[in-house]
Amino acid sequence: MPLNDVLRHRTHALASALNAHRILCYSFVSLLAVSLAIANALRNYSNFYSVAISLSKSNRSVLALANFGFLLSLFCGHVVQRIFFGTLRANEVERLYDRLWFFITESLLAFTIFRDEFDIPFALMFGFLLFVKSFHWLAGDRIEWMDQRPYPGPSPLFHLRMISLFIILWLTDFIMFLIAVESTIANGVGAWYSSQASMES
């Protein structure tokens, strides 16, 4: 067997294995990056405060930490999905990806309005909103699936899971609404809206 065929076969096998375990590979690379960033800061500085300042000032460290935070949110989302939904069906995954794509593109267009107020808390709130909204979409799809099931329908465990999820989502929505109202009362509607109102008068 020629060397080219052997290399091609092994490369194809490696690529297939990496593609099958891409989340695991991403997790490993993210964990390695954040570990190296923290180890580098610990090697250069002796106390916690200096390490924290170093991590917050270095762009590479902030990127590694943000990426690791994104990985943790994916992990939490997967755990919550397993608890309340079990394994997702193919059409649920497809509809979720479609909705996420439209939501993110529309949000990026809307972010041009808030470009002066775009900071870390804003990005965290957007990520949390996307996280919660995804579970709203999945719950709606699962309830739609439940309506199409013949008698006697899903098991009581399914109903318990859905009721628990609805209570958690309702409480989360209510708390986020209260935070939004409190922020609006304390800080006003926003700099953009205030400047538009002053220009009209």
Side-chain angles (χ1 to χ4, degrees), residues 13 22 78 83 88 96 107 113 131 157 161 185:
R22 56 183 179 246
H78 190 68
I83 290 171
L88 295 178
L96 179 65
S107 299
I113 297 170
F131 185 80
L157 179 61
R161 284 176 167 178
I185 290 172

Side-chain angles (χ1 to χ4, degrees), residues 76-88:
C76 291
H78 190 68
V79 167
V80 171
Q81 175 242 313
R82 285 288 185 180
I83 290 171
F84 290 109
F85 297 104
T87 304
L88 295 178

Side-chain angles (χ1 to χ4, degrees), residues 80 84 132 136 161-175:
V80 171
F84 290 109
V132 172
H136 278 280
R161 284 176 167 178
M162 287 297 105
I163 289 171
S164 303
L165 180 65
F166 281 144
I167 290 170
I168 291 170
L169 289 176
W170 185 84
L171 287 173
T172 305
D173 291 343
F174 186 69
I175 290 170

Side-chain angles (χ1 to χ4, degrees), residues 100-111:
L100 282 173
W101 175 253
F102 286 119
F103 180 76
I104 289 173
T105 53
E106 288 175 359
S107 299
L108 289 176
L109 289 173
F111 285 168

